[in-house]
Amino acid sequence: MKCTILSIGDELVLGQTVDTNSAWMSEQLAAVGCAVRAHMTVPDDQAEIEAAIREAAAKSRFLIVSGGIGPTEDDLTRQALAAVMHAPLEENTVWMNQLESFFKARGREMPPINRIQAMIPRGARMIFNTAGTAAGIDVDIAVEGAVGARVFVVPGVPKEMKIMFARDVLPVVREIGGGAVILSRTLHTFGLGESSIAEMLGPLMKRDRNPSVGTTVANGIVSLRVNARHPSKDAAAAAMEQTVAECRTPLGDLIFGADDQSLPQIVGQLLEADPLARQHRPSLATAESCTGGLLGKMLTDIAGSSNYYREGFITYANESKTELLGVPSEMIAAHGAVSEPVALAMAAGAAKRANTPYALSITGIAGPGGGMPEKPVGTVWIGLAAGGKTSARMFHLAGDREMIRDRAAKMALTILRYHLLGKPMPF
Amino acid sequence: MKCTILSIGDELVLGQTVDTNSAWMSEQLAAVGCAVRAHMTVPDDQAEIEAAIREAAAKSRFLIVSGGIGPTEDDLTRQALAAVMHAPLEENTVWMNQLESFFKARGREMPPINRIQAMIPRGARMIFNTAGTAAGIDVDIAVEGAVGARVFVVPGVPKEMKIMFARDVLPVVREIGGGAVILSRTLHTFGLGESSIAEMLGPLMKRDRNPSVGTTVANGIVSLRVNARHPSKDAAAAAMEQTVAECRTPLGDLIFGADDQSLPQIVGQLLEADPLARQHRPSLATAESCTGGLLGKMLTDIAGSSNYYREGFITYANESKTELLGVPSEMIAAHGAVSEPVALAMAAGAAKRANTPYALSITGIAGPGGGMPEKPVGTVWIGLAAGGKTSARMFHLAGDREMIRDRAAKMALTILRYHLLGKPMPF
């Protein structure tokens, strides 16, 4: 059950964009037991796209093509596929209506060039796109001297591609593949590095183990991927649960969630269950300096966060810390804005102003400028007000401005998480 | 002078590693006028590597192969190349001596498996590796029915690859190519869709045009990529400027920046130059409901934003809008939190509380819940206070919660941008 992934785009072969789609799709396909035999990338050139489709289709049971289905003249994937199939492009009425209502809902006339996005080769099925105007294509094509391939065409925009791939491509590959069952679970941790986690897991990470345990890192979150491969689903599920339990033994509460659970979501769930928070809904306020709203943004990424998140103060200027949160200007002058007393006063001030039992504060030096010998870039103080008591801790965070801000917001969430769990932080 | 880049590795087709080498090499090659016709990636499988080398060599003047020349059993690139050439692998004495001294210098016996790293096909030249144990290979190979290709094999480790590519690959391609220089510029727009932008550009987007103009979309930003290909750098630069000017004619201020410039950065520059803002530094405050801090986060992504950004109010609860910004609770009860009067009152309240000449406000329904027939998910009101006057506009934004929040924050920045430019918004 081999698969080829074909990416289309001048920006890719010119090196202006790194292709992350192919790796993402490959990982998904591997998890359902489908071997990817090749990635190919060609420019927005119809002859090259045709040749690539022909060649890949002859060697693969599945061909996934991404990119080249936008509305502009350099988008030529649908034309190339139709040419390989010796089939005409035909208007798909369902998608044309969808496109027209899309533009109507925005009070705009549909530009004529968008009509091409409703054209698919005769005999092909249309794949719905809930996040953009490019419909996908799903078709079995015949290839001279070969079995023929099931071809899926999806947009190159990662967000659109991922939704369509998960919904309409992967289940088909899994079903037709019909081989061993591979179950996957991902466990997420934050706070320790990949090598520390690996050391704690020890022999669980042996390469030939089944279920296998691997680690990946994304934006400071170290995740464990457990893949269980067995002939039957029940055996795979049982082996999976066993290995997940073995991972939890050394890591304990370092694991904050699994699969698509996020840190702000877990903190939200803990707040919704917390007795003190339940008496004061919404129960949480934030006071941010160097993160400039990122902590509030993360909390409100979660639909329904209004149940527990009340308000935030982005006190970027020192005067704002004084005026909005009551941090004495003499305190800032004496200790600096990035200091324990200021972090404590920000958290206490936010809880008081918002009248919430919980408040988090962040004040730090995100860089690249502003570092000092005694307070280098990456120095961040995080404060917590909880039920009238305040505490604060300093961290030295590594990386550039974006990483320092991201890790600071996640560390603030982690501090609140351990407080709500009633446990000490293990790092 | 076409080139193919072939990457070898199980970790690539399994999606465990994102291939960044191909994009890096492509960019280098484009800069010396060498067009990359395709990227290919195959696993550590000798038959697949042989097939890929044969196919790519038949279609390209240059073939650059990275990966698969390590010392272990799954490293098969040199064997595959030798098989395609019908040539035996021979020990390269210079590199064998190099390897032996490498290990001797570290006080270790050379493991026998490393001997393979000194083997190259008969007739090939060895490429020195100053950063690792894998020597590279440089050879002209004949292909039945084709011109033949110059093949370079380099390690997959980016650090080693980059040194060897820059020193021993790129100069050869440049010299043999003797061809054109390619210059690139990217222009960014926000507010209109890709198809509208393409329509405004019209014939500038013709496929055979040089310089070429193509569009790409990322997170709502529609970008124009201009590629100018000419024999001399001066001619390329002149043609580039001419085409950029031709793009600016229909698009005008829709283009907010070029290359690595971002929307918040440009807004920051406009604020730093604005006479009213210069009298009140910092000059900007924000009041956010549905975006929950994202607008503040975007503004403070920019180092130095404290020059113009003072503070933000994340008024997620309705009570916060009243208590922190002075939005009358009766107004919220009468019109709803997502309404023109509330957006206006939030902006005015933020400017007043922060004592800044400018303030932006955002209140909307990010979903997935909370939509109503008259105010569906995606309804967002954005308010602007500027020099004592307030205005507000409603938008219907498409997509999921994340997209709606992202676009709302970018639209707020765009509203302020046009105000600071002293121009009406063209959409």
Side-chain angles (χ1 to χ4, degrees):
Chain A
M1 301 305 297
K2 297 230 168 174
C3 176
T4 301
I5 297 173
L6 172 59
S7 307
I8 315 287
D10 283 351
E11 73 281 11
L12 298 171
V13 290
L14 282 168
Q16 294 162 339
T17 301
V18 171
D19 169 27
T20 55
N21 284 351
S22 298
W24 185 87
M25 288 193 257
S26 294
E27 210 167 12
Q28 304 285 315
L29 290 164
V32 302
C34 177
V36 174
R37 59 157 285 280
H39 298 171
M40 297 171 70
T41 306
V42 297
D44 295 309
D45 176 303
Q46 189 172 332
E48 290 280 8
I49 302 172
E50 285 179 32
I53 290 177
R54 244 180 243 115
E55 185 209 321
K59 291 186 182 170
S60 328
R61 179 66 187 87
F62 300 103
L63 168 58
I64 300 163
V65 187
S66 75
I69 53 171
T72 58
E73 276 190 34
D74 56 353
D75 292 304
L76 296 163
T77 300
R78 65 186 77 244
Q79 291 87 337
L81 177 60
V84 170
M85 292 170 61
H86 305 294
L89 283 172
E90 291 182 337
E91 186 175 303
N92 181 283
T93 324
V94 175
W95 193 251
M96 186 61 82
N97 291 339
Q98 188 80 10
L99 276 181
E100 277 167 354
S101 2
F102 175 91
F103 283 96
K104 199 172 283 170
R106 279 151 194 80
R108 286 158 51 191
E109 192 95 4
M110 182 174 87
I113 60 165
N114 279 91
R115 296 188 72 88
I116 187 72
Q117 295 195 290
M119 306 290 279
I120 64 175
R122 180 180 293 171
R125 294 163 291 274
M126 184 265 291
I127 303 179
F128 253 85
N129 182 346
T130 51
T133 56
I137 302 170
D138 171 4
V139 67
D140 286 286
I141 71 172
V143 182
E144 223 172 295
V147 182
R150 176 90 169 239
V151 180
F152 300 94
V153 181
V154 290
V157 181
K159 179 150 197 161
E160 300 174 26
M161 178 279 287
K162 288 179 184 179
I163 296 172
M164 294 162 76
F165 183 90
R167 191 195 55 219
D168 286 334
V169 179
L170 200 59
V172 175
V173 173
R174 193 201 321 251
E175 197 188 316
I176 297 180
V181 175
I182 302 183
L183 294 182
S184 294
R185 177 98 41 94
T186 309
L187 305 173
H188 306 296
T189 73
F190 179 76
L192 290 182
E194 191 175 17
S195 53
S196 306
I197 296 291
E199 225 173 335
M200 294 168 82
L201 289 171
L204 283 165
M205 290 193 67
K206 282 255 175 277
R207 287 292 292 152
D208 51 359
R209 194 180 188 282
N210 180 24
S212 64
V213 180
T215 56
T216 55
V217 194
N219 299 317
I221 305 284
V222 178
S223 301
L224 284 57
R225 290 187 188 272
V226 182
N227 288 311
R229 181 188 298 247
H230 279 272
S232 87
K233 198 174 169 181
D234 287 352
M240 165 70 78
E241 292 311 325
Q242 168 78 25
T243 295
V244 166
E246 289 175 60
C247 291
R248 286 190 189 275
T249 303
L251 297 182
D253 291 314
L254 276 168
I255 298 172
F256 68 76
D259 298 331
D260 58 357
Q261 292 180 316
S262 71
L263 192 48
Q265 184 186 5
I266 294 298
V267 169
Q269 288 174 8
L270 288 170
L271 277 173
E272 298 237 45
D274 181 69
L276 180 59
R278 290 167 72 93
Q279 290 166 29
H280 305 261
R281 296 177 70 179
S283 55
L284 177 63
T286 54
E288 302 180 64
S289 186
C290 66
T291 46
L294 177 58
L295 176 56
K297 185 264 177 197
M298 284 185 184
L299 284 161
T300 58
D301 279 340
I302 309 304
S305 49
S306 56
N307 284 340
Y308 47 84
Y309 183 59
R310 180 186 164 99
E311 67 197 40
F313 303 84
I314 308 174
T315 52
Y316 212 56
N318 284 348
E319 294 70 28
S320 304
K321 295 177 183 66
T322 302
E323 289 167 23
L324 301 185
L325 300 173
V327 181
S329 54
E330 310 77 46
M331 180 190 278
I332 299 176
H335 302 277
V338 179
S339 63
E340 181 168 23
V342 170
L344 292 169
M346 285 173 69
K352 188 176 165 201
R353 282 302 310 266
N355 193 26
T356 51
Y358 295 109
L360 285 165
S361 69
I362 303 177
T363 177
I365 302 163
M372 291 156 287
E374 68 285 12
K375 289 181 190 171
V377 167
T379 305
V380 177
W381 277 95
I382 300 179
L384 169 68
K389 289 182 191 163
T390 55
S391 56
R393 241 188 91 175
M394 190 185 65
F395 297 87
H396 287 295
L397 303 175
D400 61 14
R401 181 178 178 86
E402 189 183 341
M403 288 166 72
I404 290 167
R405 284 159 41 100
D406 177 76
R407 304 305 184 270
K410 284 173 178 157
M411 195 56 87
L413 292 171
T414 300
I415 286 175
L416 178 55
R417 177 174 163 260
Y418 274 99
H419 178 86
L420 294 170
L421 287 171
K423 305 226 176 127
M425 269 173 60
F427 48 84
Chain B
M1 299 305 297
K2 297 228 168 174
C3 176
T4 300
I5 297 174
L6 172 60
S7 307
I8 315 287
D10 282 350
E11 74 283 9
L12 298 171
V13 290
L14 283 169
Q16 293 162 341
T17 302
V18 170
D19 169 28
T20 55
N21 284 350
S22 297
W24 185 86
M25 288 194 256
S26 294
E27 213 167 11
Q28 305 285 315
L29 291 163
V32 301
C34 177
V36 174
R37 60 157 283 282
H39 299 170
M40 297 170 70
T41 306
V42 297
D44 296 309
D45 175 303
Q46 189 171 332
E48 290 279 6
I49 302 172
E50 285 180 33
I53 290 176
R54 242 179 244 116
E55 185 208 322
K59 291 185 181 172
S60 327
R61 180 67 186 83
F62 301 103
L63 167 59
I64 301 163
V65 187
S66 75
I69 53 172
T72 56
E73 277 187 31
D74 57 354
D75 290 304
L76 297 162
T77 299
R78 65 186 76 245
Q79 291 86 336
L81 177 60
V84 170
M85 292 170 62
H86 304 291
L89 283 171
E90 291 180 342
E91 185 175 303
N92 181 284
T93 326
V94 176
W95 194 249
M96 187 61 84
N97 292 339
Q98 188 79 11
L99 274 182
E100 278 167 353
S101 6
F102 175 91
F103 284 95
K104 199 171 285 168
R106 281 156 191 75
R108 286 159 50 194
E109 190 96 2
M110 183 173 85
I113 61 164
N114 279 92
R115 295 186 72 86
I116 185 73
Q117 295 195 290
M119 305 290 277
I120 65 175
R122 179 179 292 170
R125 294 164 290 276
M126 185 265 291
I127 303 179
F128 252 86
N129 182 349
T130 52
T133 56
I137 303 169
D138 171 4
V139 66
D140 285 286
I141 70 172
V143 181
E144 220 171 295
V147 182
R150 176 90 170 240
V151 180
F152 300 94
V153 180
V154 290
V157 182
K159 188 180 175 137
E160 300 174 28
M161 178 280 287
K162 287 180 184 179
I163 296 171
M164 294 161 75
F165 183 91
R167 189 193 58 219
D168 285 333
V169 180
L170 200 58
V172 176
V173 174
R174 195 200 322 253
E175 196 188 316
I176 298 180
V181 176
I182 303 185
L183 295 181
S184 294
R185 176 100 39 95
T186 308
L187 306 172
H188 306 294
T189 74
F190 178 77
L192 290 181
E194 190 176 17
S195 54
S196 305
I197 296 290
E199 228 174 336
M200 295 169 82
L201 290 170
L204 282 164
M205 289 193 69
K206 281 263 174 266
R207 290 294 295 152
D208 52 359
R209 196 180 186 283
N210 180 24
S212 64
V213 181
T215 55
T216 54
V217 194
N219 298 318
I221 305 283
V222 178
S223 301
L224 283 58
R225 290 187 187 273
V226 183
N227 290 311
R229 179 188 301 246
H230 278 272
S232 84
K233 196 173 170 184
D234 288 352
M240 165 70 80
E241 293 309 326
Q242 169 78 23
T243 294
V244 166
E246 288 175 60
C247 291
R248 287 190 189 276
T249 303
L251 297 182
D253 292 312
L254 277 169
I255 298 171
F256 68 75
D259 297 330
D260 58 357
Q261 292 179 317
S262 71
L263 192 49
Q265 183 186 8
I266 294 297
V267 169
Q269 288 174 6
L270 288 170
L271 278 172
E272 298 237 45
D274 180 70
L276 179 59
R278 291 167 71 94
Q279 291 166 28
H280 306 261
R281 296 176 72 179
S283 56
L284 177 63
T286 54
E288 302 181 63
S289 185
C290 66
T291 47
L294 177 58
L295 177 57
K297 184 265 177 194
M298 284 186 185
L299 284 161
T300 59
D301 278 341
I302 309 304
S305 49
S306 56
N307 283 339
Y308 47 84
Y309 182 60
R310 181 186 165 99
E311 66 197 40
F313 302 84
I314 307 175
T315 52
Y316 211 55
N318 284 347
E319 294 70 28
S320 305
K321 296 176 182 68
T322 301
E323 288 166 24
L324 300 184
L325 301 171
V327 181
S329 54
E330 310 77 45
M331 182 190 278
I332 298 176
H335 302 278
V338 179
S339 63
E340 181 167 21
V342 170
L344 292 168
M346 286 173 68
K352 190 177 165 200
R353 281 303 310 268
N355 193 25
T356 51
Y358 295 109
L360 285 167
S361 68
I362 303 177
T363 177
I365 302 162
M372 291 157 286
E374 69 286 10
K375 289 179 190 174
V377 168
T379 305
V380 178
W381 277 95
I382 300 179
L384 169 69
K389 288 183 192 161
T390 55
S391 57
R393 242 188 91 177
M394 188 185 67
F395 297 87
H396 286 296
L397 304 175
D400 61 14
R401 181 178 178 87
E402 187 183 344
M403 289 165 72
I404 290 168
R405 284 157 43 100
D406 177 76
R407 304 304 184 270
K410 284 173 178 157
M411 195 57 86
L413 293 171
T414 300
I415 286 175
L416 177 56
R417 176 175 165 259
Y418 275 99
H419 178 87
L420 294 170
L421 287 171
K423 305 227 176 127
M425 269 172 59
F427 48 85

